[in-house]
Amino acid sequence: YPTSDGTIGQFLKTDGSGTLAFADLSVGDLVIVGSSIASPSNADLTLDPAGTGAIKLNANTDITGNLTVTGTLDLGDSNFTNVGSLQLDSIAGDGDTNTSITFSGSDIITIATGGSTAATFNADQTVTLSDDITLANNKKVIFGDAGENIVGDGTDLTIASSNDLNLTATTDINVPANVGMTFGDDGEKIEGDGTNLTIASSGTI
């Protein structure tokens, strides 16, 4: 037996040759005979690898309580599936962090590209854009369910409506000189040249 006391927490260890000595507890690979590792009531269970070591769970893992992550959650480009509700402050692109969707908490959703705001969506269903809207040829902007739409083919712009088309403005609606408004297919037209206004028709004016 050792001739002096060890320190608190040490145990007696044999060297395999009949000599005992006090030693610190150091566990190599640990095999659990049962199925549970438990801590005393209300105590935390801490796994703390040294240095750059990591805790690896090499099997399916079920978490029945809350999962709190104070660092970065890296899924390694794996899919996030079967999610009920997901509460986020923002979503940023993996390869381009200048592209993001931010939920400000004030009933506003902000979409950013190039690190700057591209669009905001407000609680009153107002959409504010910071730049032009560009549509490919023959792609439509559709209003409602009755077929009202605006479409351009790269040359002409067509406004279609299944009902009346009403133009309401607080100032004049300006048409350039020598550009007319044409009605039907028989040449009915109203056109101004900057001085005179011409009304043309194949029928009665």
Side-chain angles (χ1 to χ4, degrees):
Y1 294 99
T3 57
S4 61
D5 292 337
T7 59
I8 295 175
Q10 288 187 317
F11 71 105
L12 281 176
K13 179 181 179 181
T14 179
D15 64 357
S17 300
T19 302
L20 298 177
F22 286 106
D24 294 323
L25 180 62
S26 178
V27 180
D29 292 339
L30 180 63
V31 178
I32 304 299
V33 177
S35 59
S36 299
I37 299 176
S39 62
S41 178
N42 296 325
D44 294 334
L45 183 62
T46 301
L47 301 177
D48 189 7
T52 58
I55 297 173
K56 297 185 177 182
L57 303 176
N58 296 324
N60 295 334
T61 303
D62 295 328
I63 300 174
T64 57
N66 295 328
L67 176 64
T68 301
V69 179
T70 56
T72 300
L73 180 61
D74 187 349
L75 297 178
D77 286 332
S78 297
N79 294 330
F80 223 169
T81 60
N82 197 25
V83 178
S85 62
L86 190 62
Q87 296 183 356
L88 301 171
D89 292 329
S90 65
I91 302 172
D94 188 10
D96 181 9
T97 56
N98 285 331
T99 303
S100 64
I101 301 174
T102 302
F103 309 95
S104 64
S106 55
D107 295 329
I108 297 176
I109 299 174
T110 301
I111 298 177
T113 57
S116 300
T117 298
T120 57
F121 298 81
N122 299 311
D124 60 0
Q125 300 183 11
T126 299
V127 180
T128 303
L129 303 176
S130 61
D131 207 339
D132 298 334
I133 299 176
T134 302
L135 297 178
N137 290 343
N138 300 312
K139 298 299 181 181
K140 300 178 181 179
V141 178
I142 298 176
F143 305 88
D145 300 323
E148 291 84 359
N149 64 79
I150 300 175
V151 59
D153 60 9
T155 302
D156 299 322
L157 179 67
T158 302
I159 301 176
S161 176
S162 59
N163 296 299
D164 294 339
L165 179 63
N166 299 313
L167 299 178
T168 303
T170 57
T171 59
D172 296 336
I173 298 175
N174 297 313
V175 179
N178 300 311
V179 175
M181 298 176 64
T182 303
F183 305 87
D185 299 325
D186 294 327
E188 290 82 3
K189 188 175 184 180
I190 299 176
E191 181 179 281
D193 60 9
T195 302
N196 301 312
L197 178 66
T198 302
I199 301 175
S201 175
S202 59
T204 301
I205 300 177

